[in-house]
Short mmCIF file of all heavy atoms in Angstrom, two decimals:
data_model
loop_
_atom_site.label_atom_id
_atom_site.label_comp_id
_atom_site.label_asym_id
_atom_site.label_seq_id
_atom_site.Cartn_x
_atom_site.Cartn_y
_atom_site.Cartn_z
N MET I 1 -83.24 46.09 -65.73
CA MET I 1 -84.13 45.18 -65.01
C MET I 1 -83.47 43.74 -65.06
O MET I 1 -83.06 43.37 -66.18
CB MET I 1 -85.53 45.11 -65.52
CG MET I 1 -86.44 44.06 -65.01
SD MET I 1 -87.80 44.90 -64.23
CE MET I 1 -88.53 43.49 -63.46
N PRO I 2 -83.28 43.09 -63.91
CA PRO I 2 -82.62 41.69 -63.97
C PRO I 2 -83.46 40.66 -64.71
O PRO I 2 -84.73 40.72 -64.67
CB PRO I 2 -82.47 41.37 -62.49
CG PRO I 2 -82.85 42.51 -61.68
CD PRO I 2 -83.50 43.53 -62.65
N GLU I 3 -82.86 39.86 -65.37
CA GLU I 3 -83.56 38.80 -66.04
C GLU I 3 -84.12 37.79 -65.03
O GLU I 3 -83.53 37.57 -63.99
CB GLU I 3 -82.58 38.10 -67.02
CG GLU I 3 -82.16 38.97 -68.12
CD GLU I 3 -81.27 38.30 -69.17
OE1 GLU I 3 -81.42 36.99 -69.16
OE2 GLU I 3 -80.50 38.82 -69.74
N PRO I 4 -85.26 37.06 -65.39
CA PRO I 4 -85.74 36.12 -64.51
C PRO I 4 -84.83 35.02 -64.11
O PRO I 4 -84.81 34.53 -62.98
CB PRO I 4 -87.03 35.60 -65.25
CG PRO I 4 -87.41 36.68 -66.24
CD PRO I 4 -86.08 37.39 -66.59
N LEU I 5 -83.96 34.64 -65.09
CA LEU I 5 -83.13 33.54 -64.78
C LEU I 5 -82.02 34.01 -63.76
O LEU I 5 -81.69 33.20 -62.88
CB LEU I 5 -82.33 33.16 -66.09
CG LEU I 5 -81.43 31.95 -65.95
CD1 LEU I 5 -82.18 30.77 -65.51
CD2 LEU I 5 -80.68 31.62 -67.30
N HIS I 6 -81.55 35.30 -63.81
CA HIS I 6 -80.71 35.77 -62.80
C HIS I 6 -81.44 35.83 -61.46
O HIS I 6 -80.73 35.56 -60.39
CB HIS I 6 -80.15 37.24 -63.27
CG HIS I 6 -79.28 37.15 -64.28
ND1 HIS I 6 -79.28 38.14 -65.28
CD2 HIS I 6 -78.24 36.40 -64.69
CE1 HIS I 6 -78.32 37.85 -66.23
NE2 HIS I 6 -77.80 36.74 -65.88
N LEU I 7 -82.60 36.29 -61.44
CA LEU I 7 -83.24 36.34 -60.17
C LEU I 7 -83.52 34.91 -59.46
O LEU I 7 -83.40 34.75 -58.36
CB LEU I 7 -84.69 36.99 -60.34
CG LEU I 7 -84.67 38.41 -60.65
CD1 LEU I 7 -86.12 38.98 -60.81
CD2 LEU I 7 -84.08 39.25 -59.49
N ALA I 8 -83.81 33.86 -60.44
CA ALA I 8 -83.86 32.58 -59.86
C ALA I 8 -82.58 31.96 -59.33
O ALA I 8 -82.58 31.41 -58.25
CB ALA I 8 -84.32 31.64 -60.98
N ALA I 9 -81.47 32.38 -60.01
CA ALA I 9 -80.23 31.94 -59.62
C ALA I 9 -79.89 32.61 -58.23
O ALA I 9 -79.23 31.94 -57.32
CB ALA I 9 -79.09 32.34 -60.58
N LEU I 10 -80.21 33.85 -58.19
CA LEU I 10 -79.91 34.63 -56.78
C LEU I 10 -80.76 34.09 -55.76
O LEU I 10 -80.26 33.85 -54.55
CB LEU I 10 -80.22 36.07 -57.01
CG LEU I 10 -80.06 37.01 -55.82
CD1 LEU I 10 -78.64 36.97 -55.37
CD2 LEU I 10 -80.55 38.45 -56.12
N ALA I 11 -81.94 33.70 -56.01
CA ALA I 11 -82.91 33.09 -55.01
C ALA I 11 -82.33 31.76 -54.50
O ALA I 11 -82.33 31.38 -53.37
CB ALA I 11 -84.37 32.94 -55.54
N ALA I 12 -81.86 30.92 -55.48
CA ALA I 12 -81.32 29.66 -55.15
C ALA I 12 -80.04 29.76 -54.31
O ALA I 12 -79.77 29.09 -53.33
CB ALA I 12 -80.91 28.82 -56.48
N ALA I 13 -79.21 30.81 -54.67
CA ALA I 13 -78.03 31.00 -53.85
C ALA I 13 -78.30 31.43 -52.45
O ALA I 13 -77.63 31.02 -51.54
CB ALA I 13 -77.20 32.18 -54.57
N VAL I 14 -79.37 32.23 -52.30
CA VAL I 14 -79.80 32.65 -50.90
C VAL I 14 -80.31 31.43 -50.05
O VAL I 14 -80.04 31.29 -48.99
CB VAL I 14 -80.94 33.65 -51.04
CG1 VAL I 14 -81.53 33.99 -49.67
CG2 VAL I 14 -80.33 35.01 -51.55
N VAL I 15 -81.02 30.58 -50.73
CA VAL I 15 -81.55 29.33 -50.10
C VAL I 15 -80.46 28.42 -49.67
O VAL I 15 -80.33 27.91 -48.57
CB VAL I 15 -82.54 28.57 -50.98
CG1 VAL I 15 -82.89 27.21 -50.49
CG2 VAL I 15 -83.86 29.37 -51.23
N VAL I 16 -79.48 28.20 -50.63
CA VAL I 16 -78.30 27.44 -50.33
C VAL I 16 -77.50 27.99 -49.12
O VAL I 16 -77.05 27.32 -48.19
CB VAL I 16 -77.35 27.25 -51.44
CG1 VAL I 16 -75.98 26.65 -51.21
CG2 VAL I 16 -78.07 26.43 -52.61
N LEU I 17 -77.35 29.33 -49.14
CA LEU I 17 -76.57 30.01 -48.00
C LEU I 17 -77.32 29.82 -46.65
O LEU I 17 -76.80 29.51 -45.63
CB LEU I 17 -76.39 31.52 -48.23
CG LEU I 17 -75.66 32.28 -47.29
CD1 LEU I 17 -74.24 31.71 -47.14
CD2 LEU I 17 -75.68 33.69 -47.76
N ALA I 18 -78.64 29.95 -46.75
CA ALA I 18 -79.44 29.76 -45.51
C ALA I 18 -79.35 28.29 -45.05
O ALA I 18 -79.18 28.18 -43.77
CB ALA I 18 -80.91 30.04 -45.84
N VAL I 19 -79.42 27.42 -45.81
CA VAL I 19 -79.25 25.97 -45.47
C VAL I 19 -77.92 25.72 -44.90
O VAL I 19 -77.74 25.05 -43.87
CB VAL I 19 -79.58 25.02 -46.52
CG1 VAL I 19 -79.21 23.52 -46.24
CG2 VAL I 19 -81.00 25.14 -46.95
N ALA I 20 -76.85 26.24 -45.52
CA ALA I 20 -75.49 26.09 -45.01
C ALA I 20 -75.30 26.74 -43.61
O ALA I 20 -74.66 26.13 -42.71
CB ALA I 20 -74.42 26.72 -46.02
N ILE I 21 -75.88 27.82 -43.39
CA ILE I 21 -75.80 28.62 -42.09
C ILE I 21 -76.63 27.72 -41.02
O ILE I 21 -76.14 27.48 -39.93
CB ILE I 21 -76.37 30.02 -42.13
CG1 ILE I 21 -75.41 30.79 -42.98
CG2 ILE I 21 -76.58 30.56 -40.70
CD1 ILE I 21 -76.01 32.19 -43.27
N ARG I 22 -77.72 27.18 -41.44
CA ARG I 22 -78.47 26.38 -40.48
C ARG I 22 -77.71 25.02 -40.17
O ARG I 22 -77.74 24.70 -38.95
CB ARG I 22 -79.85 26.05 -41.19
CG ARG I 22 -80.74 25.17 -40.25
CD ARG I 22 -81.05 25.79 -38.93
NE ARG I 22 -81.66 24.85 -38.02
CZ ARG I 22 -83.00 24.89 -37.83
NH1 ARG I 22 -83.74 25.67 -38.42
NH2 ARG I 22 -83.52 23.98 -36.95
N CYS I 23 -77.17 24.44 -41.07
CA CYS I 23 -76.30 23.28 -40.81
C CYS I 23 -75.12 23.59 -39.85
O CYS I 23 -74.80 22.77 -38.93
CB CYS I 23 -75.83 22.65 -42.11
SG CYS I 23 -77.09 21.85 -42.99
N ALA I 24 -74.47 24.63 -40.11
CA ALA I 24 -73.31 25.03 -39.16
C ALA I 24 -73.81 25.31 -37.77
O ALA I 24 -73.11 24.86 -36.89
CB ALA I 24 -72.63 26.29 -39.85
N ILE I 25 -74.97 25.91 -37.63
CA ILE I 25 -75.38 26.24 -36.25
C ILE I 25 -75.88 24.91 -35.63
O ILE I 25 -75.49 24.58 -34.49
CB ILE I 25 -76.77 27.00 -36.34
CG1 ILE I 25 -76.29 28.51 -36.78
CG2 ILE I 25 -77.42 27.19 -35.11
CD1 ILE I 25 -77.36 29.46 -37.08
N ASP I 26 -76.50 23.98 -36.39
CA ASP I 26 -76.83 22.59 -35.88
C ASP I 26 -75.66 21.81 -35.39
O ASP I 26 -75.54 21.30 -34.38
CB ASP I 26 -77.82 21.91 -36.77
CG ASP I 26 -79.14 22.49 -36.82
OD1 ASP I 26 -79.53 23.30 -36.08
OD2 ASP I 26 -79.97 22.09 -37.78
N THR I 27 -74.63 21.84 -36.34
CA THR I 27 -73.47 21.10 -36.07
C THR I 27 -72.82 21.63 -34.81
O THR I 27 -72.27 20.80 -33.92
CB THR I 27 -72.47 21.25 -37.21
OG1 THR I 27 -73.12 20.71 -38.38
CG2 THR I 27 -71.15 20.53 -37.00
N ARG I 28 -72.71 22.97 -34.64
CA ARG I 28 -72.20 23.48 -33.46
C ARG I 28 -72.89 23.07 -32.17
O ARG I 28 -72.32 22.86 -31.10
CB ARG I 28 -72.12 25.10 -33.56
CG ARG I 28 -71.38 25.69 -32.37
CD ARG I 28 -71.06 27.09 -32.64
NE ARG I 28 -70.25 27.68 -31.62
CZ ARG I 28 -70.73 28.44 -30.67
NH1 ARG I 28 -71.92 28.72 -30.66
NH2 ARG I 28 -69.93 28.85 -29.67
N ARG I 29 -74.26 23.14 -32.22
CA ARG I 29 -75.05 22.66 -31.16
C ARG I 29 -74.72 21.20 -30.79
O ARG I 29 -74.61 20.86 -29.54
CB ARG I 29 -76.57 22.84 -31.45
CG ARG I 29 -76.99 24.16 -31.34
CD ARG I 29 -78.56 24.24 -31.59
NE ARG I 29 -79.02 25.55 -31.80
CZ ARG I 29 -80.09 25.89 -32.55
NH1 ARG I 29 -80.63 24.96 -33.15
NH2 ARG I 29 -80.45 27.13 -32.66
N TYR I 30 -74.68 20.39 -31.77
CA TYR I 30 -74.38 18.95 -31.45
C TYR I 30 -73.03 18.76 -30.97
O TYR I 30 -72.80 17.92 -30.01
CB TYR I 30 -74.60 18.10 -32.82
CG TYR I 30 -75.97 18.04 -33.35
CD1 TYR I 30 -76.30 18.22 -34.59
CD2 TYR I 30 -76.96 17.76 -32.33
CE1 TYR I 30 -77.59 18.08 -35.08
CE2 TYR I 30 -78.29 17.82 -32.73
CZ TYR I 30 -78.59 17.82 -34.09
OH TYR I 30 -79.91 17.74 -34.58
N ARG I 31 -72.05 19.58 -31.48
CA ARG I 31 -70.73 19.41 -30.87
C ARG I 31 -70.64 19.86 -29.48
O ARG I 31 -69.95 19.27 -28.72
CB ARG I 31 -69.77 20.24 -31.79
CG ARG I 31 -68.29 20.14 -31.34
CD ARG I 31 -67.34 20.89 -32.30
NE ARG I 31 -67.53 20.56 -33.64
CZ ARG I 31 -67.61 21.46 -34.63
NH1 ARG I 31 -67.56 22.66 -34.42
NH2 ARG I 31 -67.76 21.00 -35.94
N ILE I 32 -71.30 20.90 -29.03
CA ILE I 32 -71.33 21.46 -27.62
C ILE I 32 -72.02 20.35 -26.81
O ILE I 32 -71.50 20.11 -25.69
CB ILE I 32 -72.07 22.74 -27.57
CG1 ILE I 32 -71.35 23.93 -28.27
CG2 ILE I 32 -72.50 23.12 -26.13
CD1 ILE I 32 -72.08 25.19 -28.45
N ARG I 33 -73.11 19.77 -27.33
CA ARG I 33 -73.78 18.71 -26.47
C ARG I 33 -72.97 17.54 -26.38
O ARG I 33 -72.90 16.91 -25.28
CB ARG I 33 -75.13 18.33 -27.31
CG ARG I 33 -76.04 17.48 -26.41
CD ARG I 33 -77.34 17.20 -27.11
NE ARG I 33 -77.92 18.48 -27.44
CZ ARG I 33 -78.87 18.71 -28.41
NH1 ARG I 33 -78.98 17.73 -29.31
NH2 ARG I 33 -79.37 19.86 -28.54
N ALA I 34 -72.14 17.07 -27.49
CA ALA I 34 -71.31 15.97 -27.44
C ALA I 34 -70.16 16.27 -26.39
O ALA I 34 -69.76 15.38 -25.62
CB ALA I 34 -70.67 15.62 -28.79
N ASP I 35 -69.60 17.44 -26.44
CA ASP I 35 -68.55 17.82 -25.41
C ASP I 35 -69.06 17.75 -24.06
O ASP I 35 -68.32 17.22 -23.13
CB ASP I 35 -68.05 19.30 -25.66
CG ASP I 35 -67.21 19.35 -26.95
OD1 ASP I 35 -66.88 18.24 -27.48
OD2 ASP I 35 -66.94 20.44 -27.46
N ALA I 36 -70.23 18.14 -23.74
CA ALA I 36 -70.91 18.04 -22.45
C ALA I 36 -71.08 16.59 -22.04
O ALA I 36 -70.74 16.26 -20.96
CB ALA I 36 -72.16 18.78 -22.35
N ASP I 37 -71.54 15.78 -22.99
CA ASP I 37 -71.69 14.38 -22.68
C ASP I 37 -70.33 13.72 -22.33
O ASP I 37 -70.31 12.89 -21.51
CB ASP I 37 -72.34 13.60 -23.90
CG ASP I 37 -73.82 14.04 -24.08
OD1 ASP I 37 -74.43 14.65 -23.16
OD2 ASP I 37 -74.35 13.68 -25.19
N ALA I 38 -69.35 14.02 -23.17
CA ALA I 38 -68.05 13.50 -22.86
C ALA I 38 -67.45 13.84 -21.55
O ALA I 38 -66.90 13.08 -20.84
CB ALA I 38 -67.10 13.85 -23.98
N ALA I 39 -67.71 15.15 -21.10
CA ALA I 39 -67.30 15.64 -19.81
C ALA I 39 -68.03 14.83 -18.78
O ALA I 39 -67.38 14.43 -17.81
CB ALA I 39 -67.50 17.10 -19.62
N ARG I 40 -69.34 14.62 -18.92
CA ARG I 40 -70.02 13.81 -17.84
C ARG I 40 -69.44 12.40 -17.86
O ARG I 40 -69.36 11.81 -16.80
CB ARG I 40 -71.48 13.71 -18.18
CG ARG I 40 -72.25 15.16 -17.81
CD ARG I 40 -73.70 15.00 -17.87
NE ARG I 40 -74.23 14.66 -19.16
CZ ARG I 40 -74.59 15.73 -20.01
NH1 ARG I 40 -74.34 16.97 -19.66
NH2 ARG I 40 -75.08 15.43 -21.22
N ALA I 41 -69.20 11.86 -18.92
CA ALA I 41 -68.67 10.50 -19.02
C ALA I 41 -67.32 10.42 -18.28
O ALA I 41 -67.04 9.47 -17.57
CB ALA I 41 -68.52 10.04 -20.39
N ARG I 42 -66.52 11.36 -18.58
CA ARG I 42 -65.10 11.42 -17.85
C ARG I 42 -65.35 11.56 -16.37
O ARG I 42 -64.62 10.90 -15.64
CB ARG I 42 -64.30 12.61 -18.45
CG ARG I 42 -63.76 12.34 -19.74
CD ARG I 42 -62.59 13.36 -20.09
NE ARG I 42 -63.17 14.66 -20.28
CZ ARG I 42 -63.75 15.14 -21.32
NH1 ARG I 42 -63.77 14.48 -22.36
NH2 ARG I 42 -64.17 16.42 -21.39
N GLN I 43 -66.26 12.32 -15.92
CA GLN I 43 -66.57 12.54 -14.57
C GLN I 43 -67.03 11.25 -13.82
O GLN I 43 -66.57 10.79 -12.75
CB GLN I 43 -67.60 13.70 -14.20
CG GLN I 43 -67.86 13.96 -12.86
CD GLN I 43 -66.68 14.35 -12.07
OE1 GLN I 43 -65.83 15.05 -12.54
NE2 GLN I 43 -66.65 14.08 -10.72
N ALA I 44 -67.90 10.55 -14.53
CA ALA I 44 -68.42 9.35 -14.08
C ALA I 44 -67.35 8.30 -13.91
O ALA I 44 -67.21 7.50 -12.92
CB ALA I 44 -69.52 8.77 -14.96
N LEU I 45 -66.44 8.23 -14.93
CA LEU I 45 -65.36 7.24 -15.03
C LEU I 45 -64.34 7.58 -13.80
O LEU I 45 -63.90 6.68 -13.00
CB LEU I 45 -64.54 7.34 -16.36
CG LEU I 45 -63.44 6.34 -16.48
CD1 LEU I 45 -63.92 4.87 -16.26
CD2 LEU I 45 -62.74 6.52 -17.73
N ALA I 46 -64.16 8.81 -13.51
CA ALA I 46 -63.32 9.20 -12.41
C ALA I 46 -63.90 8.88 -11.08
O ALA I 46 -63.17 8.35 -10.23
CB ALA I 46 -63.03 10.77 -12.40
N GLU I 47 -65.16 9.02 -10.98
CA GLU I 47 -65.82 8.59 -9.66
C GLU I 47 -65.76 7.10 -9.60
O GLU I 47 -65.55 6.57 -8.41
CB GLU I 47 -67.29 9.06 -9.73
CG GLU I 47 -67.36 10.57 -9.59
CD GLU I 47 -68.84 11.10 -9.68
OE1 GLU I 47 -69.76 10.19 -9.86
OE2 GLU I 47 -69.05 12.29 -9.85
N ILE I 48 -66.00 6.32 -10.63
CA ILE I 48 -65.88 4.86 -10.52
C ILE I 48 -64.55 4.47 -10.16
O ILE I 48 -64.28 3.54 -9.31
CB ILE I 48 -66.29 4.26 -11.90
CG1 ILE I 48 -67.76 4.48 -12.11
CG2 ILE I 48 -65.93 2.76 -11.99
CD1 ILE I 48 -68.27 4.07 -13.47
N LYS I 49 -63.42 5.09 -10.68
CA LYS I 49 -62.16 4.74 -10.35
C LYS I 49 -61.83 5.05 -8.87
O LYS I 49 -61.13 4.22 -8.26
CB LYS I 49 -61.14 5.46 -11.25
CG LYS I 49 -60.95 5.06 -12.68
CD LYS I 49 -59.93 5.74 -13.52
CE LYS I 49 -59.84 5.25 -14.85
NZ LYS I 49 -58.91 6.07 -15.64
N GLU I 50 -62.36 6.18 -8.42
CA GLU I 50 -62.20 6.55 -7.06
C GLU I 50 -62.86 5.51 -6.07
O GLU I 50 -62.24 5.10 -5.08
CB GLU I 50 -62.72 7.99 -6.78
CG GLU I 50 -62.46 8.46 -5.43
CD GLU I 50 -62.96 9.87 -5.25
OE1 GLU I 50 -63.08 10.66 -6.22
OE2 GLU I 50 -63.29 10.26 -4.11
N ILE I 51 -64.04 5.15 -6.38
CA ILE I 51 -64.68 4.16 -5.62
C ILE I 51 -63.95 2.80 -5.60
O ILE I 51 -63.68 2.17 -4.56
CB ILE I 51 -66.13 3.84 -6.12
CG1 ILE I 51 -67.00 5.17 -5.85
CG2 ILE I 51 -66.74 2.61 -5.42
CD1 ILE I 51 -68.33 5.19 -6.48
N HIS I 52 -63.47 2.45 -6.82
CA HIS I 52 -62.69 1.22 -6.81
C HIS I 52 -61.36 1.26 -5.99
O HIS I 52 -61.02 0.34 -5.46
CB HIS I 52 -62.40 0.94 -8.36
CG HIS I 52 -61.60 -0.34 -8.53
ND1 HIS I 52 -62.18 -1.63 -8.33
CD2 HIS I 52 -60.30 -0.61 -8.96
CE1 HIS I 52 -61.26 -2.57 -8.63
NE2 HIS I 52 -60.12 -1.94 -8.99
N ARG I 53 -60.72 2.38 -6.13
CA ARG I 53 -59.48 2.73 -5.33
C ARG I 53 -59.79 2.61 -3.83
O ARG I 53 -59.00 2.12 -3.11
CB ARG I 53 -58.99 3.98 -5.70
CG ARG I 53 -57.50 4.29 -5.27
CD ARG I 53 -56.96 5.52 -5.80
NE ARG I 53 -57.33 5.94 -7.12
CZ ARG I 53 -57.85 7.07 -7.36
NH1 ARG I 53 -58.11 8.00 -6.54
NH2 ARG I 53 -58.24 7.38 -8.68
N ASP I 54 -60.84 3.17 -3.44
CA ASP I 54 -61.24 3.16 -2.03
C ASP I 54 -61.52 1.78 -1.51
O ASP I 54 -61.36 1.47 -0.33
CB ASP I 54 -62.43 4.07 -1.73
CG ASP I 54 -62.13 5.58 -1.88
OD1 ASP I 54 -60.89 5.90 -1.98
OD2 ASP I 54 -63.06 6.29 -2.15
N ARG I 55 -61.97 0.93 -2.38
CA ARG I 55 -62.24 -0.58 -1.89
C ARG I 55 -61.08 -1.34 -1.68
O ARG I 55 -61.19 -2.42 -1.06
CB ARG I 55 -63.17 -1.20 -2.97
CG ARG I 55 -64.65 -0.62 -2.89
CD ARG I 55 -65.43 -1.38 -3.78
NE ARG I 55 -66.82 -0.86 -3.81
CZ ARG I 55 -67.80 -1.31 -4.63
NH1 ARG I 55 -67.62 -2.34 -5.44
NH2 ARG I 55 -69.00 -0.85 -4.42
N ARG I 56 -59.94 -0.88 -2.17
CA ARG I 56 -58.73 -1.74 -1.94
C ARG I 56 -58.12 -1.66 -0.62
O ARG I 56 -58.30 -0.85 0.08
CB ARG I 56 -57.67 -1.27 -3.07
CG ARG I 56 -57.99 -1.69 -4.45
CD ARG I 56 -56.81 -1.37 -5.38
NE ARG I 56 -57.21 -1.51 -6.68
CZ ARG I 56 -56.36 -1.22 -7.71
NH1 ARG I 56 -55.17 -0.79 -7.46
NH2 ARG I 56 -56.73 -1.48 -8.99
#
């Protein structure tokens, strides 16, 4: 039978692993969102440059 201290350590390790996985998922979501925002910003800048070029 495992000792209570070992069970507590195992439970703590499971919690730490769950938090690490959650952080990795959140980080990936934010990175995907940031990449999409950057793409929209690049598109807007390209459109502004095109309008400026057309005015010349």
Side-chain angles (χ1 to χ4, degrees):
M1 175 117 186
E3 295 180 25
L5 188 59
H6 290 142
L7 290 177
L10 181 60
V14 169
V15 169
V16 168
L17 182 60
V19 170
I21 291 170
R22 178 62 191 256
C23 288
I25 290 170
D26 287 347
T27 300
R28 185 163 186 263
R29 282 185 192 148
Y30 292 135
R31 187 175 302 135
I32 290 169
R33 191 174 303 148
D35 289 346
D37 289 345
R40 281 193 295 274
R42 282 192 298 271
Q43 180 63 33
L45 182 60
E47 290 173 7
I48 290 169
K49 286 181 178 179
E50 185 177 332
I51 291 169
H52 182 69
R53 193 174 323 125
D54 290 345
R55 287 186 179 176
R56 288 184 187 180

